[in-house]
């Protein structure tokens, strides 16, 4: 591909603790720098900007980060986004999380700020369920909106953007994108009112689980950080937040952390930094993931040779990175997604066409590859409803 932009890796200190004793353990070259934006033609999709991901493990705090990340290459302009709430499983999870926060933090009649709110779905649920008022910031929004309950602004949150401190800050799947997560969390903390009970909830992908389960499809350029419970706690405690709980969520795929602006009680005992355990799973990751990719390349080639039609379900992060990491071409006939906004568009990097589940009634694939076991049941039900008789393979 001619239009690729290459970026040489630059050694950078750990963005969580500032430590300089980091070991590189995994590298991917020519990865699309924006994975959650889909394109209107296959040519544009294939010609996306690319750069290397160079993962390093911090020996001091067990944090994993892309040491060659260049924030000027990851653009979150309009058209960027990965809304997941078309799935009932994801909606149920969002609902549970909202109720947990409303109860745990007594959020009723409060002002809630969400940083990186996407289309505002989750914020709106927090407001509807608890009679709260919501303010969301997201620069990928096409325009600002305000319905009197939820106000969405099409910009990044900056200190001073609001006249007064809010009661609660929510931030889901954004901190891992920040080139300076320490500054990001500090800005979030300062948005909170200086009053007892001002609280926060952050959710990020679970980096420890990614490396333990060899789920390399979750490695993408937009993510600077791959948090462990320890490094996420360290980040928040370091910013002065009173961390009350850090736990895996969504079947272990995410990490959730919550607490208060100011500590009024003794700090929570946080799991000791398990640098050794993280180091073990990272050490073997490169070899194991390479073997896993090769086995998938072999399978796809064999199915194609046998004249079988294989379809991938899910044009989200995992699906897009599966295709890119494997360098998949016509072995995958097309990509299916339930989100109507993606239909007729093309996957960044590989140029696969994205279509609706209904298309499968014509395509009649022998195989449907499912990227996330969390959605397997839901996908099987949809295939059955469509009358598509096929073999489902979960990656
Ligand atoms: Zn560190």
């Amino acid at each position: 591909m001619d239009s690729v932009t290459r970026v040489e890796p630059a050694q950078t200190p750990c963005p969580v603790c500032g430590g300089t004793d980091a070991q590189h353990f995994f590298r991917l070259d020519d990865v699309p720098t924006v994975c959650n934006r889909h394109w209107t033609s296959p040519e544009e999709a294939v010609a996306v900007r690319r750069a290397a991901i160079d993962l390093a493990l911090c020996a001091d705090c067990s944090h994993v980060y892309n040491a060659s990340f260049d924030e000027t290459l990851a653009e979150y302009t309009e058209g960027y986004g990965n809304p997941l709430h078309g799935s009932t499983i994801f909606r149920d999870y969002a609902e549970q999380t909202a109720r947990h926060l409303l109860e745990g933090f007594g959020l009723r009649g409060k002002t809630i700020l969400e940083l990186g709110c996407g289309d505002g779905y989750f914020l709106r649920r927090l407001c509807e369920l608890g009679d709260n008022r919501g303010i969301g910031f997201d620069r990928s929004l096409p325009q600002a909106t305000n319905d009197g309950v939820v106000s969405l602004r099409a910009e990044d949150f900056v200190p001073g953007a609001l006249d007064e401190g809010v009661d609660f800050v929510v931030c889901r799947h954004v901190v891992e994108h920040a080139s300076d997560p320490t500054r990001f969390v500090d800005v979030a903390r300062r948005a909170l009112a200086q009053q007892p009970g001002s609280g926060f909830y952050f959710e990020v992908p679970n980096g420890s689980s990614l490396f333990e389960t060899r789920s390399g499809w979750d490695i993408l350029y937009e993510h600077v950080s791959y948090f462990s419970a320890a490094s996420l706690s360290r980040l928040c405690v370091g910013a002065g937040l009173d961390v009350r709980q850090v736990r895996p969520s969504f079947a272990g795929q995410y990490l959730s952390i919550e607490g208060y602006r100011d500590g009024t009680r003794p700090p929570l005992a946080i799991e000791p930094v398990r640098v050794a355990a993280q180091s073990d799973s990272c050490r073997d990751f490169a070899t194991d993931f390479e073997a896993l990719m090769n086995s998938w390349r072999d399978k796809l080639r064999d199915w194609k040779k046998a004249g079988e039609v294989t379809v991938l379900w899910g044009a989200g992060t995992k699906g897009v990175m599966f295709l890119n990491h494997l360098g998949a071409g016509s072995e995958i006939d097309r990509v299916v997604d339930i989100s109507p906004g993606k239909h007729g568009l093309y996957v960044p990097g590989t140029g696969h066409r994205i279509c609706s589940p209904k298309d499968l009634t014509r395509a009649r694939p022998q195989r449907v590859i499912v990227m996330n076991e969390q959605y397997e049941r839901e996908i099987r039900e949809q295939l059955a409803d469509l009358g598509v008789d096929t073999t489902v393979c979960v990656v």
Side-chain angles (χ1 to χ4, degrees):
M1 288 158 218
D2 302 331
S3 57
V4 300
T5 306
R6 287 168 195 280
V7 177
E8 291 306 314
Q11 275 296 353
T12 44
C14 170
V16 166
C17 75
T20 51
D21 184 9
Q23 205 179 350
H24 294 259
F25 67 94
F26 184 63
R27 184 180 165 93
L28 284 165
D29 286 304
D30 296 333
V31 181
T33 58
V34 176
C35 136
N36 280 311
R37 180 179 171 186
H38 304 89
W39 298 83
T40 49
S41 76
E43 293 78 19
E44 279 178 306
V46 168
V48 290
R49 201 184 290 191
R50 294 164 193 267
I53 294 175
D54 197 2
L55 295 185
L57 169 69
C58 173
D60 293 324
C61 77
S62 84
H63 189 57
V64 172
Y65 61 101
N66 177 5
S68 64
F69 181 76
D70 176 350
E71 66 180 324
T72 64
L73 299 179
E75 307 151 283
Y76 303 105
T77 48
E78 192 186 331
Y80 185 91
N82 188 25
L84 299 168
H85 44 73
S87 155
T88 51
I89 288 168
F90 195 82
R91 274 204 306 275
D92 288 349
Y93 170 68
E95 199 76 3
Q96 269 173 29
T97 308
R99 290 183 188 279
H100 164 80
L101 296 178
L102 293 170
E103 253 174 57
F105 289 88
L107 299 177
R108 187 155 282 278
K110 305 284 188 189
T111 302
I112 300 172
L113 169 67
E114 183 167 12
L115 306 177
C117 60
D119 62 7
Y121 174 84
F122 184 69
L123 182 60
R124 198 168 297 282
R125 289 306 290 148
L126 284 172
C127 293
E128 286 164 353
L129 293 169
D131 199 16
N132 296 302
R133 190 172 76 92
I135 310 164
F137 283 77
D138 199 310
R139 100 169 87 142
S140 69
L141 283 167
Q143 64 197 32
T145 54
N146 187 349
D147 63 8
V149 175
V150 175
S151 155
L152 301 181
R153 302 214 197 158
E155 59 195 291
D156 280 340
F157 178 80
V158 290
L162 300 175
D163 295 335
E164 48 188 39
V166 298
D167 301 300
F168 200 77
V169 171
V170 173
C171 188
R172 294 156 72 237
H173 302 266
V174 176
V175 184
E176 69 275 15
H177 294 250
S179 58
D180 186 348
T182 303
R183 184 177 172 277
F184 184 92
V185 170
D186 181 58
V187 167
R189 180 178 179 273
R190 285 192 286 142
L192 285 164
Q194 289 186 40
Q195 65 193 17
S198 288
F200 72 95
Y201 174 81
F202 303 147
E203 187 180 288
V204 296
N206 185 347
S208 297
S209 153
L210 186 167
F211 297 111
E212 274 161 29
T213 62
R214 314 303 192 227
S215 179
W217 328 113
D218 292 319
I219 297 173
L220 64 159
Y221 194 80
E222 292 102 306
H223 289 181
V224 185
S225 285
Y226 297 84
F227 287 98
S228 63
S231 72
L232 184 61
S233 302
R234 179 156 179 161
L235 176 74
C236 293
V237 171
L241 289 165
D242 175 24
V243 172
R244 290 284 112 197
Q245 190 179 57
V246 53
R247 63 188 163 91
S249 51
F250 201 56
Q253 294 184 20
Y254 303 158
L255 282 174
S256 302
I257 191 163
E258 62 193 54
Y260 296 95
R261 183 188 191 279
D262 297 301
T264 49
R265 289 158 288 186
L268 185 77
I270 292 167
E271 170 197 11
V273 179
R274 295 187 308 131
V275 176
Q278 185 84 333
S279 175
D280 283 350
S281 58
C282 290
R283 189 192 53 224
D284 299 330
F285 177 79
T287 320
D288 290 356
F289 186 58
E290 189 62 42
L292 182 63
M293 286 197 286
N294 285 334
S295 81
W296 271 106
R297 287 187 187 111
D298 291 347
K299 275 188 231 181
L300 294 179
R301 203 184 40 233
D302 290 349
W303 293 338
K304 163 102 176 156
K305 235 190 242 169
E308 297 180 357
V309 174
T310 301
V311 157
L312 181 79
W313 190 297
T317 301
K318 287 174 196 280
V320 169
M321 296 326 289
F322 179 82
L323 295 170
N324 275 283
H325 292 343
L326 296 181
S330 61
E331 312 92 290
I332 300 280
D333 183 70
R334 66 190 73 191
V335 176
V336 175
D337 201 280
I338 55 170
S339 174
K342 294 179 186 175
H343 299 159
L345 299 178
Y346 296 84
V347 169
T350 63
H352 287 87
R353 186 176 164 82
I354 305 167
C355 61
S356 87
K358 265 192 200 148
D359 263 43
L360 297 187
T361 55
R362 268 175 293 143
R364 296 269 153 208
Q366 273 80 19
R367 270 188 192 75
V368 172
I369 298 177
V370 170
M371 290 309 301
N372 192 336
E373 61 183 3
Q374 280 296 297
Y375 299 118
E376 180 187 353
R377 185 175 52 82
E378 187 172 274
I379 292 168
R380 284 186 185 276
E381 284 167 6
Q382 290 178 72
L383 287 167
D385 288 349
L386 290 165
V388 175
D389 186 17
T390 184
T391 304
V392 172
C393 313
V394 181
V395 174

